[in-house]
Amino acid sequence: MLKQRLVRVKNALVRECMAEFLGTFVLLLFGCSAAAQVKTSRETKGQFLSVNMAFSVGVMSAMYLTKGITGAHLNPAVTLSFCVLGQVPWGRLVPYCLSQLLGAYVASGLVYLVYYDAIMEFSGGVLTVYGPNETASIFATYPTEYLTLGRSFLDQVVGTGMLMLCILCLDEKRNTPAPSELIPPIVAVIVLGISMSMSANCGAAINPARDLGPRLFTLTAGWGTEVFTCYNYWFWVPLVAPPIGGVLGSFMYLIFIHWHLPDPDPPENLSTLSTISDKIKQPATTWENEVVQLKSAHL
């Protein structure tokens, strides 16, 4: 117990940031490791679906780890949306986002160490963004060559909007809430559905930390500035579009669902107090009636 007290962090914000760091770390470790395995094995040890499923397992695992501390945002777009909805204080936005970004960066570094030999064998020792032996896409997301900038922006807005729209209803008591212990796998399935249906264009990042953290790592690990300049400086799209999509999805939920749900039932303690008050008043009323009757009889 003494050791636990010495190690325990007393500051609530620091504890929450630690949880967001670890959760995003786990998410990216699963996802990028699967991407490295599929890429470097030339799809002999997994396919594109393997990467989608690994990210979903990462989401579920990270949520079980951290949901009781922060709600398991794992995504700056999610944190921003909850701030806009008033469910998270605005003072948590920047610390949470930085923690998520750092977790994604560190996870990418660990994936690089684990798969270093495979990456070097696959790429011939040349770390590039373009070409059949490129390895930058193991870590960050990149658009297909035919995709326009505007269409890729729309792609990220729609994907993140669907994410927020579908997860906001899970704990709504006035609708059809999911059991609390089953919310992580349900969110994982939602993420899997989005990645299976909306990742062909540009990888379905739908998460600025998931994209920027690994991109910063590749910048520092040998891929160079091309990870930011490629595809007409595309890197800003998965940074800007997901927060916009998350907020739009949140407002869609409010406008189409939340504001039309039945009013919540009054708390039980209020009705109990009312009943008790009624019972307290009843003897007094009866006593007053008896007094009046006695007076009438006397007269």
Side-chain angles (χ1 to χ4, degrees):
M1 288 297 294
L2 179 60
K3 291 182 179 180
Q4 183 178 353
R5 290 177 182 177
L6 291 174
V7 176
R8 179 181 295 174
V9 177
K10 295 182 179 180
N11 186 284
L13 178 58
V14 174
R15 291 199 303 266
E16 294 165 10
C17 288
M18 290 170 61
E20 286 298 316
F21 167 86
L22 183 62
T24 314
F25 171 86
V26 169
L27 167 61
L28 268 293
L29 189 63
F30 272 100
C32 291
S33 292
Q37 177 173 303
V38 172
K39 170 72 75 171
T40 58
S41 69
R42 301 185 188 276
E43 298 192 358
T44 60
K45 297 178 181 178
Q47 291 78 38
F48 187 63
L49 179 60
S50 305
V51 182
N52 294 335
M53 295 182 69
F55 270 109
S56 300
V57 171
V59 168
M60 180 182 66
S61 304
M63 288 192 69
Y64 273 123
L65 272 173
T66 64
K67 187 175 182 294
I69 301 175
T70 61
H73 298 182
L74 315 173
N75 184 340
V78 173
T79 304
L80 175 63
S81 299
F82 282 139
C83 288
V84 171
L85 292 172
Q87 298 183 17
V88 173
W90 282 98
R92 294 297 200 259
L93 177 60
V94 173
Y96 278 21
C97 292
L98 291 177
S99 301
Q100 295 156 1
L101 181 63
L102 183 60
Y105 182 94
V106 175
S108 301
L110 184 55
V111 170
Y112 180 69
L113 291 176
V114 171
Y115 279 95
Y116 177 82
D117 295 334
I119 290 173
M120 291 303 164
E121 172 67 21
F122 176 85
S123 64
V126 181
L127 304 178
T128 61
V129 177
Y130 296 102
N133 293 330
E134 63 83 18
T135 48
S137 63
I138 289 174
F139 301 95
T141 60
Y142 294 88
T144 53
E145 295 182 358
Y146 59 79
L147 194 66
T148 64
L149 203 61
R151 205 79 67 194
S152 65
F153 191 92
L154 176 64
D155 174 274
Q156 291 296 287
V157 168
V158 172
T160 318
M162 286 299 298
L163 175 66
M164 288 305 303
L165 179 63
C166 293
I167 67 175
L168 283 174
C169 63
L170 295 180
D171 61 350
E172 177 57 72
K173 305 301 181 185
R174 297 176 296 161
N175 199 345
T176 333
S180 179
E181 63 274 10
L182 293 181
I183 287 179
I186 293 173
V187 174
V189 172
I190 293 171
V191 172
L192 178 61
I194 293 172
S195 60
M196 288 178 64
S197 60
M198 303 181 195
S199 59
N201 284 335
C202 45
I206 61 173
N207 183 339
R210 175 263 173 276
D211 189 83
L212 182 59
R215 197 178 299 275
L216 287 172
F217 171 76
T218 53
L219 172 68
T220 57
W223 279 264
T225 58
E226 196 173 37
V227 298
F228 282 95
T229 60
C230 66
Y231 297 102
N232 195 24
Y233 295 88
W234 182 83
F235 79 93
W236 66 268
V237 173
L239 296 183
V240 178
I244 294 175
V247 173
L248 289 177
S250 300
F251 279 118
M252 284 182 63
Y253 174 73
L254 291 178
I255 294 170
F256 286 89
I257 302 295
H258 185 76
W259 290 340
H260 305 288
L261 292 173
D263 293 333
D265 295 329
E268 293 182 2
N269 59 340
L270 291 180
S271 59
T272 304
L273 287 174
S274 176
T275 304
I276 293 173
S277 299
D278 293 340
K279 289 181 179 179
I280 291 173
K281 290 178 181 178
Q282 285 176 1
T285 305
T286 304
W287 180 79
E288 290 174 358
N289 292 336
E290 290 177 354
V291 171
V292 171
Q293 290 174 2
L294 288 172
K295 287 182 178 181
S296 301
H298 178 72
L299 292 174

